[in-house]
Amino acid sequence: MKARGFTLVELVAVIVVMGIVALGSYGYLRFGSQLYGDTVARAHTLSQGRFAVERLTRELRNAVPNSVRVSSDGSCIEFVPIAAAVRYFDAPVAPDSGNTIKVVWVDPAGTTPSSGDAIDWNSDFFGTSLWAMLNPTQSSQIYSPDDSDRRVMALASSAYVDDGYYLLTLASTTSFAKDSPSMRLYLGGQPVSFCQVGANLYRYENYGFIASQPLPSTGLTNGQLMAQQLASSSYPLFRYDSAVLTRNAVVHILLKFQSVGEDDLFFNLEVHQPNVP
């Protein structure tokens, strides 16, 4: 009986063919794996970009009018969040002076207050310290108040009066410089800042009112990380157009994120702030 088998040439040919097939399969699988990884990385960058933009937009829309200020290089933005907006009908406006303000405020929950109840703002978010702000027209009146042009005063307490209004007690006797045209009073919390540090975006709070805008290099510490992978750009991160009689204030935001490959992701938006004194 004649023996059967493969010749050396046949074995070599099979090995070469299998090597070519394996190399092609590896390239295909490697390309698919790399494509999947790039897609996941891009989705992650897009997700954190959307989060940062949504957070910035929500907070800036809830800022006290004319409280926004931007650093000279556009890397930091600061503003005062609104804890409550109320209507007043009696306030110590020049030439009068005093330490109480009578306001009308409706609880968003629709509950009827009892005598002595304080205004129910979100103290978990805004803290326990509030400031009464009456018709500020520029940021300097908020961050470096002057008795000759008083627009801001710390709030000591608030209590509901049976006659149907709240009595706000100020930290000290004062005289506000101007009435609000719409009799509106803002209760603001402590200032908040968003700053780019390297490739990261941080949020800072609970540092108080400072005349000169604080920066991460000059006083801001313990920031909360909001986003990563920010790319350097020739354009400022933040730009602010102050309000005029015919236009609301506008905050311009340009976030540029480093992405996989050669393409970066851009978030370019405008946040309008109604000029409601």
Side-chain angles (χ1 to χ4, degrees):
M1 185 175 181
K2 189 176 180 179
R4 297 182 178 181
F6 297 101
T7 65
L8 180 60
V9 174
E10 291 174 329
L11 288 174
V12 171
V14 170
I15 292 173
V16 171
V17 172
M18 291 182 64
I20 294 174
V21 173
L23 185 62
S25 300
Y26 169 75
Y28 175 78
L29 293 175
R30 181 175 178 273
F31 174 77
S33 177
Q34 183 177 1
L35 183 62
Y36 174 77
D38 291 349
T39 301
V40 171
R42 185 180 292 271
H44 173 71
T45 303
L46 184 62
S47 176
Q48 70 167 345
R50 285 175 174 170
F51 169 78
V53 166
E54 181 68 18
R55 184 67 181 265
L56 277 165
T57 301
R58 284 177 179 268
E59 293 203 36
L60 284 169
R61 285 177 178 169
N62 194 47
V64 173
N66 302 311
S67 69
V68 174
R69 56 181 181 176
V70 175
S71 61
S72 58
D73 63 354
S75 64
C76 279
I77 187 169
E78 184 181 26
F79 56 90
V80 175
I82 297 173
V86 298
R87 299 277 186 176
Y88 70 91
F89 58 92
D90 186 15
V93 178
D96 298 330
S97 62
N99 70 334
T100 59
I101 304 176
K102 295 179 181 180
V103 304
V104 178
W105 187 78
V106 178
D107 192 326
T111 57
T112 302
S114 301
S115 179
D117 284 352
I119 290 181
D120 182 21
W121 62 80
N122 187 355
S123 59
D124 292 336
F125 184 81
F126 296 104
T128 57
S129 299
L130 292 183
W131 283 260
M133 301 185 177
L134 183 56
N135 195 18
T137 57
Q138 51 189 326
S139 61
S140 60
Q141 296 169 338
I142 294 177
Y143 297 101
S144 53
D146 185 352
D147 283 337
S148 64
D149 189 24
R150 174 66 61 179
R151 307 297 176 102
V152 177
M153 178 55 68
L155 183 66
S157 64
S158 63
Y160 181 75
V161 179
D162 288 334
D163 290 339
Y165 64 88
Y166 282 89
L167 186 67
L168 307 184
T169 302
L170 304 175
S172 62
T173 299
T174 191
S175 178
F176 289 101
K178 298 285 185 180
D179 256 323
S180 164
S182 53
M183 306 299 286
R184 180 179 284 103
L185 179 75
Y186 291 101
L187 300 182
Q190 290 203 41
V192 171
S193 289
F194 283 83
C195 296
Q196 180 179 358
V197 181
N200 298 327
L201 180 67
Y202 290 94
R203 181 183 184 275
Y204 301 88
E205 61 181 356
N206 297 325
Y207 54 84
F209 289 81
I210 303 175
S212 298
Q213 183 176 357
L215 304 173
S217 59
T218 58
L220 293 180
T221 58
N222 301 322
Q224 300 171 323
L225 182 62
M226 293 287 107
Q228 297 175 298
Q229 298 175 256
L230 284 175
S232 58
S233 174
S234 57
Y235 297 95
L237 187 67
F238 302 106
R239 185 165 57 86
Y240 178 64
D241 295 335
S242 57
V244 295
L245 291 177
T246 58
R247 187 199 67 216
N248 291 328
V250 182
V251 178
H252 303 268
I253 303 173
L254 177 60
L255 296 177
K256 179 182 178 182
F257 288 91
Q258 299 171 350
S259 184
V260 293
E262 299 180 356
D263 297 329
D264 291 328
L265 295 178
F266 292 85
F267 290 85
N268 189 3
L269 68 151
E270 296 179 350
V271 181
H272 290 249
Q273 292 187 304
N275 184 23
V276 185

